Amino acid sequence: MAMNDPNFLWQVFQGVDKDRSGQITANELGQALSNGTWTPFNPETIRLMIGMFDQDRSGSISFQEFQSLWKYVTDWQNCFRGFDRDNSGSIDKRELVSALTSFGYRLSERFSDILIKKFDRQGRGVIAFDDFIQCCVVLHTLTASFRQFDTDCDGWITIGYEQFISLVFSLKS
């Protein structure tokens, strides 16, 4: 049975919807997702994904929204596996730089170290699958916000403090 088959996904959805409400909450989603490290899926990543796919702003995910979320997670899983060159189940700094470079980012080694430190919840110098998703989503969101002000696309912006604070607090991630 195909992983994107609606009947298969309905069975998965019903298995995750523990309270039989017809909606999946963040807690239910967190219990259902696996990051491959035998640790709970990052609650912040779950919050980000619920926010991205909760079209009716109910705070939970309907079956239709779940189908989109499932595809999103599956796509990220395939991406993650492609960059996890040593098949360790995590992304090290070298693999992260390779992934981000392929996404079009040109970041310094110092900034790559910051990303590893920020998104390595286990303190092992590597990033797990769920944290990789969060890292990439946050980086994309910040880049999109930056580009609103980088009108000449030179990688530099000049904004005032209040404008910066407003930008940060208005981010939807």
Side-chain angles (χ1 to χ4, degrees):
M1 185 173 291
M3 296 284 277
N4 58 357
D5 173 58
N7 292 325
F8 170 76
L9 289 180
W10 178 246
Q11 290 175 341
V12 172
F13 182 84
Q14 287 182 309
V16 175
D17 182 18
K18 298 293 185 197
D19 65 2
R20 302 287 178 244
S21 65
Q23 298 279 318
I24 294 176
T25 65
N27 285 341
E28 290 170 329
L29 187 60
Q31 292 170 2
L33 292 175
S34 169
N35 64 12
T37 64
W38 301 104
T39 58
F41 214 82
N42 185 333
E44 182 60 19
T45 305
I46 292 169
R47 187 191 67 75
L48 279 172
M49 290 190 307
I50 294 263
M52 291 169 63
F53 292 96
D54 179 18
Q55 298 300 307
D56 61 4
R57 301 291 167 229
S58 65
S60 56
I61 299 292
S62 69
F63 177 63
Q64 288 71 29
E65 294 164 340
F66 177 74
Q67 289 176 309
S68 298
L69 186 145
W70 180 272
K71 181 182 179 337
Y72 182 78
V73 170
T74 302
D75 289 348
W76 272 115
Q77 195 171 45
N78 291 333
C79 174
F80 181 85
R81 286 180 180 147
F83 289 107
D84 180 17
R85 299 255 190 322
D86 61 1
N87 294 316
S88 64
S90 57
I91 297 284
D92 63 24
K93 180 179 158 185
R94 183 182 48 78
E95 293 165 334
L96 180 64
V97 168
S98 176
L100 297 178
T101 300
S102 78
F103 300 157
Y105 295 103
R106 303 291 179 260
L107 305 170
S108 70
E109 184 163 333
R110 183 173 158 268
F111 188 75
S112 298
D113 290 335
I114 290 169
L115 287 176
I116 291 286
K117 187 176 276 189
K118 169 82 174 150
F119 293 100
D120 171 21
R121 288 186 300 145
Q122 311 256 323
R124 300 178 312 146
V126 295
I127 300 176
F129 170 60
D130 50 342
D131 300 315
F132 177 72
I133 294 173
Q134 184 185 357
C135 175
C136 294
V137 169
V138 168
L139 194 56
H140 173 79
T141 302
L142 290 171
T143 300
S145 296
F146 181 89
R147 284 184 176 149
Q148 291 175 333
F149 294 94
D150 187 16
T151 54
D152 58 357
C153 299
D154 67 354
W156 292 91
I157 62 174
T158 303
I159 59 175
Y161 176 71
E162 192 168 320
Q163 204 174 8
F164 170 73
I165 295 298
S166 296
L167 171 71
V168 169
F169 284 120
S170 67
L171 292 177
K172 192 174 177 358
S173 67

